[in-house]
Amino acid sequence: MIDEPISQFMNRDVLNGDAETPLIEVIAQMNALGESEFVVCEGDVPIGVITERDAVAILSRLLGGSDYQGIRVGDVMTSPVTTLCETARMGDVIRVMNERRFRRVPITNDKNGLTGVINLLDLQFAMNSALERRGRDLEVAVMSRTAELQKANEKLEELSIRDGLTGLLNRRAMSDRLDELHALSKRHGSTYSLTLLDVDHFKAYNDCLGHVKGDEALRTIARLLGDSVRTSDSVYRYGGEEFL
């Protein structure tokens, strides 16, 4: 959040005028619009500011009998005024407000012209928005990571029950399935059948033509067996050249 430009969060609708503006008019505008600051400009360059703190000080003097009818804002404004360029980062605003104990900072363009103001409420809104975005991003990242982990776990689970050479189910999967079948058979009084195959003379074939040809033979047999059974049946590599 501190790296984001302040132009995204600053208030561009800022009350402003020149130093000759009658103070009484400024106070009336601030009261009518609910604004907490009036930026005093020379042309469009900020040279001072009137804040609610200044308004309270003026009220105190009025109560003490002072007359402000002919006073201009230039006579009572806080000056010079600290500004930040709208290309600055939120971290710069936080640093300036913290170091100077400011509640607002006028924002200017690259020619020092007033373009807006950022205050504590804007800063709080920016921080809340950033936290919400990061929360959403974190939630999306967690969901994505969870999905990736689930997919990885499913793949690992699949690998754990598959024979690496033939792609058939392995003895672990065979043992689990036989336990299930046997339990169902006992419960329902039904039967099930097994066929155990052994490839004849496989060792001699393997020794003669080599392990690569032997592996190809096992994969071919595995494919033929898989294509020959019903969808409700299962084929397992029992071990070596034996299939069930």
Side-chain angles (χ1 to χ4, degrees), residues 45-79:
V45 177
I47 59 172
V49 65
I50 298 288
T51 68
E52 72 272 18
R53 183 180 300 174
D54 299 315
V56 170
I58 293 167
L59 176 61
S60 176
R61 294 179 186 178
L62 282 172
L63 293 174
S66 299
D67 182 11
Y68 278 86
Q69 287 297 321
I71 302 298
R72 310 163 306 129
V73 292
D75 299 325
V76 295
M77 69 182 183
T78 299
S79 182

Side-chain angles (χ1 to χ4, degrees), residues 15-219:
L15 195 61
N16 67 93
D18 60 41
E20 298 300 318
T21 307
L23 178 62
I24 193 168
E25 290 183 13
V26 171
I27 298 299
Q29 289 182 58
M30 291 173 66
N31 180 59
L33 299 175
E35 295 289 344
S36 60
E37 67 274 326
F38 180 93
V39 181
V40 185
C41 297
E42 189 174 280
D44 60 350
V45 177
I47 59 172
V49 65
I50 298 288
T51 68
E52 72 272 18
R53 183 180 300 174
D54 299 315
V56 170
I58 293 167
L59 176 61
S60 176
R61 294 179 186 178
L62 282 172
L63 293 174
S66 299
D67 182 11
Y68 278 86
Q69 287 297 321
I71 302 298
R72 310 163 306 129
V73 292
D75 299 325
V76 295
M77 69 182 183
T78 299
S79 182
V81 60
T82 298
T83 64
L84 283 172
C85 184
E86 61 185 9
T87 57
R89 303 292 173 177
M90 289 301 298
D92 299 323
V93 177
I94 295 172
R95 177 181 52 78
V96 169
M97 285 186 169
N98 184 54
E99 290 177 355
R100 306 289 184 87
R101 304 297 181 189
F102 289 162
R103 300 184 64 184
R104 82 243 337 124
V105 179
I107 308 301
T108 61
N109 56 28
D110 56 359
K111 297 180 180 178
N112 296 322
L114 180 68
T115 57
V117 67
I118 190 163
N119 56 39
L120 286 176
L121 287 177
D122 298 323
L123 186 60
Q124 182 179 5
F125 175 78
M127 293 177 69
N128 290 340
S129 298
L131 288 174
E132 287 178 5
R133 286 198 305 274
R134 290 190 177 182
R136 289 193 297 269
D137 292 343
L138 180 60
E139 184 178 354
V140 170
V142 168
M143 290 176 63
S144 176
R145 184 58 179 157
T146 300
E148 289 176 3
L149 288 173
Q150 183 176 351
K151 210 176 268 189
N153 287 333
E154 290 173 356
K155 186 175 182 179
L156 286 173
E157 177 63 23
E158 179 69 12
L159 289 173
S160 72
I161 62 173
R162 290 284 174 183
D163 174 58
L165 176 64
T166 64
L168 295 178
L169 295 166
N170 59 22
R171 286 191 66 167
R172 174 191 168 189
M174 180 196 73
S175 180
D176 291 343
R177 183 57 177 154
L178 285 177
D179 287 342
E180 293 174 3
L181 281 173
H182 195 67
L184 287 171
S185 176
K186 289 179 66 176
R187 177 182 298 176
H188 300 293
S190 58
T191 60
Y192 61 94
S193 61
L194 306 174
T195 302
L196 183 62
L197 309 177
D198 180 87
V199 181
D200 290 340
H201 311 300
F202 179 73
K203 184 177 184 306
Y205 181 88
N206 207 37
D207 291 342
C208 179
L209 298 179
H211 291 288
V212 174
K213 287 296 184 179
D215 289 348
E216 289 180 4
L218 290 177
R219 282 193 288 266

Side-chain angles (χ1 to χ4, degrees), residues 225-239:
L225 291 174
D227 292 341
S228 300
V229 299
R230 300 169 301 183
T231 55
S232 57
D233 296 332
S234 302
V235 182
Y236 305 86
R237 186 180 182 191
Y238 188 77

